[in-house]
Amino acid sequence: MTRLLLLLSPSSNRVYAGTAPGVVAAELQVLAEGRLGAPVRSVEPVRVAGVDYLAVELDAPDEPTGGEGYGATYAALGQLSAAHALFRRVGDDLLAPVGLPRTERLDDDLLTIPKYPGRTNEQFTRALLNVTLAATSWGDQVGRRPFTVLDPLAGRGTTLSWALALGHDAYGVELERREVEAYAAFLTTWLRRKRLKHSIGLNPLRRNGRQVAELLEAFLHPDAEAWKAGQRQHLSLFAADTLRTAELLGRRKVEAVVTDAPYGVAHGSRAGGGGRDRSPADLLAEAVPVWASVLRSGGAMGIAWNTHGLAREDLAAIVTGAGLVVRDEGPWTRLAHRVDAGIHRDVLVAHQP
Ligand SMILES: C[S@@+](CC[C@H](N)C(=O)[O-])C[C@H]1O[C@@H](n2cnc3c(N)ncnc32)[C@H](O)[C@@H]1O
């Protein structure tokens, strides 16, 4: 057995209002189901010399370089949203540092510079992306090949930026033009400042001679040689109502839908074209079937939402009604946490059979 201590990012306390260890433990167990080479025997919060850690026990020999299983185990640990540093316990008194393999391909200020005015947070968004990718039929390939990720309520692009930072292709839909413009301005400056090979533009999207939306489109690659050889990561963000997602994507399907729904508190959830106001619950009831229709068979959908406006079983019924299979057991049900007095956030993950 291997005994590890995982130190969480100090900021995770702020993100999860003191509930970070429980959320990250559930995230780790979700990743462990499909991806960890060594089975996780237990995960629990501990305090050592006044510092909080997650104690992780693996059913694996106490030898960090031993065998295939270890590579996969540490790869998954390195992908955890709040993983800061990892130590192996040697006896009861000593900690041996273990390097956490990171899969980020872009500098982390792509995620840390923008400050979204709502409750979205880059660490939580990474957790949401992680558990959703883990629920796809290709969960064991995360970190080894690019995925196609859609955030159909993209806001200022936290999910999109994570997808790009981790080497994926990203699609987004966002109703508020000013959010799309803000993300376009930020990403344009960031790509230039980092001197990455790229092209980017926010332009009207025309089909059959008629403007159907505004589209922010970017192509980039972190490696100049790969860019020269024609390799590209791709981003498309449509300024439009999310109910038009299928029409806008055309025949394109995605492998993961990852979205943080409006909380019904700080920002609204208006229908496009000056239409009536929609509650987050009404929006999800209308939009989930549309999102399910653009999901490839074997793909997965992960939704974060405020349970004060919509109970978990009601969202599960909407998602099941759209033909998806909800993960409603074990760690998949332990990702809920308090954000503030008005928001209790939960995460529902389902896959397209
Ligand atoms: C919680 S925020 C998402 C935040 C996002 N993850 C980010 O990083 O900025 C929800 C977003 O949904 C958008 N939204 C609400 N109703 C919409 C609709 N019908 N179509 C498209 N976007 C919508 C809101 O404008 C808001 O930006």
Side-chain angles (χ1 to χ4, degrees):
M1 185 181 63
T2 302
R3 293 154 69 221
L4 301 167
L5 283 185
L6 185 70
L7 185 62
L8 303 184
S9 308
S11 60
S12 63
N13 271 333
R14 168 179 58 81
V15 178
Y16 297 110
T19 60
V23 178
V24 183
E27 182 192 358
L28 171 58
Q29 282 164 326
V30 163
L31 300 195
E33 278 189 9
R35 282 200 265 148
L36 282 195
V40 174
R41 183 182 287 195
S42 68
V43 186
E44 60 178 9
V46 290
R47 180 165 285 190
V48 179
V51 176
D52 292 324
Y53 295 84
L54 267 188
V56 181
E57 289 187 351
L58 301 175
D59 276 329
D62 191 9
E63 177 52 65
T65 50
E68 272 283 296
Y70 262 107
T73 306
Y74 288 117
L77 286 164
Q79 283 170 17
L80 281 177
S81 59
H84 190 53
L86 183 67
F87 303 91
R88 191 164 51 90
R89 294 189 92 152
V90 184
D92 280 335
D93 298 328
L94 295 178
L95 299 183
V98 181
L100 279 172
R102 301 285 185 181
T103 46
E104 291 89 335
R105 294 154 48 123
L106 302 175
D107 290 352
D108 65 357
D109 57 359
L110 176 61
L111 275 307
T112 53
I113 294 173
K115 280 286 162 246
Y116 187 77
R119 269 67 168 194
T120 293
N121 170 280
E122 78 281 0
Q123 225 172 72
F124 170 71
T125 305
R126 172 84 191 261
L128 179 61
L129 177 60
N130 278 346
V131 297
T132 309
L133 291 179
T136 67
S137 298
W138 318 281
D140 58 339
Q141 295 165 32
V142 177
R144 290 190 277 131
R145 72 144 171 104
F147 283 68
T148 315
V149 176
L150 163 72
D151 184 347
L153 300 165
R156 292 201 186 177
T158 313
T159 312
L160 308 180
S161 288
W162 265 125
L164 294 178
L166 296 168
H168 306 306
D169 289 318
Y171 290 88
V173 184
E174 168 56 46
L175 185 62
E176 298 289 345
R177 220 193 113 100
R178 67 190 145 86
E179 303 285 30
V180 174
E181 283 169 354
Y183 186 58
F186 165 70
L187 194 58
T188 304
T189 309
W190 189 88
L191 286 165
R192 235 184 252 144
R193 196 162 50 78
K194 296 288 169 178
R195 299 175 181 277
L196 292 184
K197 294 287 182 197
H198 71 278
S199 65
I200 187 165
L202 175 59
N203 295 299
L205 173 68
R206 292 184 195 286
R207 287 196 183 144
N208 303 322
R210 178 174 85 82
Q211 179 174 339
V212 292
E214 293 269 326
L215 171 62
L216 171 67
E217 198 163 34
F219 295 89
L220 61 126
H221 205 286
D223 176 32
E225 287 304 313
W227 173 273
K228 226 191 262 170
Q231 292 181 39
R232 302 280 185 272
Q233 274 182 262
H234 169 246
L235 162 89
S236 285
L237 172 57
F238 300 92
D241 192 313
T242 195
L243 298 182
R244 296 178 53 211
T245 297
E247 167 208 329
L248 293 166
L249 290 191
R251 282 201 297 271
R252 213 169 289 117
K253 300 273 186 208
V254 300
E255 293 169 313
V257 171
V258 177
T259 205
D260 186 19
Y263 294 99
V265 184
H267 26 59
S269 48
R270 294 186 299 102
R276 68 197 161 82
D277 276 353
R278 270 195 207 109
S279 71
D282 289 347
L283 174 69
L284 287 169
E286 284 188 65
V288 164
V290 178
W291 304 339
S293 76
V294 300
L295 201 52
R296 254 183 80 179
S297 166
M301 184 184 294
I303 303 174
W305 86 106
N306 183 6
T307 61
H308 289 328
L310 178 66
R312 185 177 175 92
E313 50 277 23
D314 293 335
L315 180 57
I318 292 171
V319 170
T320 306
L324 305 189
V325 179
V326 175
R327 302 300 310 255
D328 233 348
E329 73 290 342
W332 300 91
T333 61
R334 293 198 291 269
L335 292 156
H337 55 279
R338 181 182 187 277
V339 177
D340 60 31
I343 299 178
H344 181 259
R345 182 163 55 195
D346 199 356
V347 172
L348 186 130
V349 182
H351 68 270
Q352 180 80 280

